[in-house]
Amino acid sequence: MSDLISVIYDAAIDRSFWETAIERVTHFVGGTGAGLYCKDVDAQYGVTAHSFGIVRPIPVELFRQMYPVAVRHFLAEIDQPVATADLIPYNEFTQTGLYREWARPQGLIDFVSTVLDKSTTSVAVFGVFRHERNGFVDKETRDRMRLIVPHIRRAVMIAKMFDLKLAETGTIADTLDGLSAGLYLVDPTGRIVHANLAGNAILEAGDIFHAAGGRLVARGTEANQTLREVFAAAGEGDTALGTKGIAVPLIGESGEHYVAHVLPLTSGARRRAGLAYTAAAALFVRKTTLAPSRSDVIGIAFKLTPTELRVLLAIVEIGGVPEVAAALGVADTTVKTHLGHVFEKTGARRQADLVKLVAGYATPLTDYS
């Protein structure tokens, strides 16, 4: 398990590791092929970023026939496994062109997927195809997906910001300084061993971070404690970090919202960055901007309950109260009650404000290739 996680994180540094990582995850979960996909709500097609074992890509026309079903990923919870039967009754699926013309000839009978991230216009998914010899998706399959997908999500998001392209040790500093996101290389105690130009600018502003005794200190006791635990875990290796620190919301003294991501640097190809600075982790920090959302961070930042967060995303992605009520299978009054709580907690006054809020939590997963 530790070795598998290490390969996944290595892909955040070197994209050539992705096929190997996905192959290993395919075998771990139990399947015959897998891939990272992005589905667009308007274009009605899917884009494959990386894959393994998919001999015949899904024809665009067959995918479009299944588009109403595929869109249901927009309502799925991030990191939660979804099987074919969760999206469409299986007896109906076997009557589709996708099954008869593409899946059945290859012996594929099921597909287990999890949403990595989503915005108002697209959704990013990791999924594993199940062959007849693997059987249908069961509890063990779902448990294994829950265990490994958070690491895939962290690696994919950080890869967008941290692309060293196998840089030589002597040029790493120049590469890091070229990143637009603030970046800090820290040891397990949080001591800053390197900060790029954007990171130093954040420290000088003193809005969300300051340095105390050479260590990085976050504004806010809870956020600072979370980062302390993440840095310490990173020093123990990939497995010790677990699912902590995938995204840490930060609020500046001025009220500006930021998001931080942590990548451990103690294993595999990532040691290339860590060895030069004796660093255990890389911390990426950026201000939220008008780009696709990180719904889990929004929930944490505004202390929304899972139901309130679901209603917020549905309002943004689907429309008004009646439409959301129909999609979620609840009464209009229920949606209105939760929506009232959302307005109160976020400080928004109109639905347009909610759209801007959700769009403001950017993710580096967008356009990842």
Side-chain angles (χ1 to χ4, degrees):
M1 183 65 184
S2 178
D3 186 48
L4 172 57
I5 294 173
S6 180
V7 172
I8 292 171
Y9 287 153
D10 287 344
I13 301 297
D14 182 355
R15 294 179 182 180
S16 68
F17 279 89
W18 271 117
E19 184 172 350
T20 298
I22 292 175
E23 178 183 4
R24 296 278 301 277
V25 173
T26 300
H27 297 319
F28 174 77
V29 173
T32 191
L36 287 166
Y37 308 97
C38 183
K39 294 187 292 188
D40 189 272
V41 71
D42 294 322
Q44 299 191 13
Y45 65 85
V47 175
T48 302
H50 299 283
S51 65
F52 160 77
I54 309 302
V55 179
R56 294 175 51 198
I58 299 176
V60 173
E61 288 305 316
L62 293 181
F63 183 86
R64 284 176 175 166
Q65 292 174 17
M66 293 292 294
Y67 182 72
V69 175
V71 166
R72 293 174 189 172
H73 269 125
F74 281 87
L75 296 178
E77 297 285 347
I78 289 177
D79 284 350
Q80 293 305 306
V82 176
T84 301
D86 297 325
L87 299 174
I88 179 175
Y90 197 78
N91 62 333
E92 293 183 18
F93 172 65
T94 58
Q95 302 304 311
T96 65
L98 180 66
Y99 174 78
R100 290 185 284 104
E101 300 175 33
W102 185 80
R104 186 171 62 184
Q106 299 182 79
L108 304 179
I109 62 171
D110 210 346
F111 181 65
V112 58
S113 59
T114 58
V115 173
L116 300 177
D117 212 344
K118 54 187 174 179
S119 72
T120 56
T121 59
S122 64
V123 60
V125 175
F126 174 77
V128 177
F129 291 94
R130 302 272 287 186
H131 193 272
E132 293 172 343
R133 59 177 173 270
N134 305 122
F136 290 99
V137 173
D138 55 15
K139 182 180 182 300
E140 181 180 1
T141 306
R142 294 176 187 268
D143 288 344
R144 285 175 175 255
M145 284 288 280
R146 289 191 186 95
L147 190 62
I148 203 66
V149 162
H151 300 287
I152 297 174
R153 179 153 61 91
R154 181 191 286 117
V156 169
M157 289 188 295
I158 290 177
K160 187 69 176 181
M161 290 187 289
F162 191 28
D163 189 1
L164 289 180
K165 298 183 184 297
L166 295 178
E168 295 298 327
T169 300
T171 64
I172 285 179
D174 292 337
T175 303
L176 300 183
D177 282 340
L179 295 175
S180 60
L183 180 138
Y184 307 92
L185 300 182
V186 298
D187 71 7
T189 68
R191 181 176 63 87
I192 303 172
V193 294
H194 180 80
N196 70 351
L197 295 177
N200 282 322
I202 292 174
L203 284 176
E204 291 175 6
D207 192 31
I208 55 172
F209 287 134
H210 69 274
R215 288 178 170 77
L216 192 67
V217 179
R219 180 180 180 274
T221 303
E222 184 177 349
N224 191 59
Q225 180 61 32
T226 298
L227 290 178
R228 295 279 77 73
E229 294 173 357
V230 170
F231 295 154
E236 298 298 321
D238 298 331
T239 305
L241 188 61
T243 60
K244 294 180 180 178
I246 289 178
V248 180
L250 302 168
I251 302 177
E253 187 174 3
S254 62
E256 294 279 3
H257 288 258
Y258 296 76
V259 181
H261 302 276
V262 179
L263 174 69
L265 296 173
T266 51
S267 303
R270 287 157 288 125
R271 291 183 181 181
R272 182 181 307 278
L275 284 176
Y277 306 101
T278 64
L283 175 71
F284 302 84
V285 182
R286 55 194 162 66
K287 187 181 296 184
T288 57
T289 57
L290 288 175
S293 68
R294 284 295 320 283
S295 58
D296 55 339
V297 181
I298 296 174
I300 295 172
F302 295 99
K303 302 187 185 307
L304 302 179
T305 67
T307 302
E308 290 167 354
L309 179 59
R310 191 177 300 113
V311 168
L312 167 60
L313 295 176
I315 285 289
V316 171
E317 295 165 1
I318 298 174
V321 170
E323 293 81 5
V324 170
L328 299 181
V330 298
D332 289 8
T333 52
T334 301
V335 173
K336 289 179 180 178
T337 298
H338 291 301
L339 185 58
H341 295 158
V342 170
F343 279 127
E344 181 180 351
K345 292 182 178 181
T346 63
R349 297 182 179 180
R350 303 173 302 162
Q351 185 172 329
D353 295 332
L354 296 179
V355 173
K356 292 179 181 179
L357 183 150
V358 171
Y361 280 75
T363 169
L365 186 60
T366 308
D367 298 327
Y368 183 78
S369 60

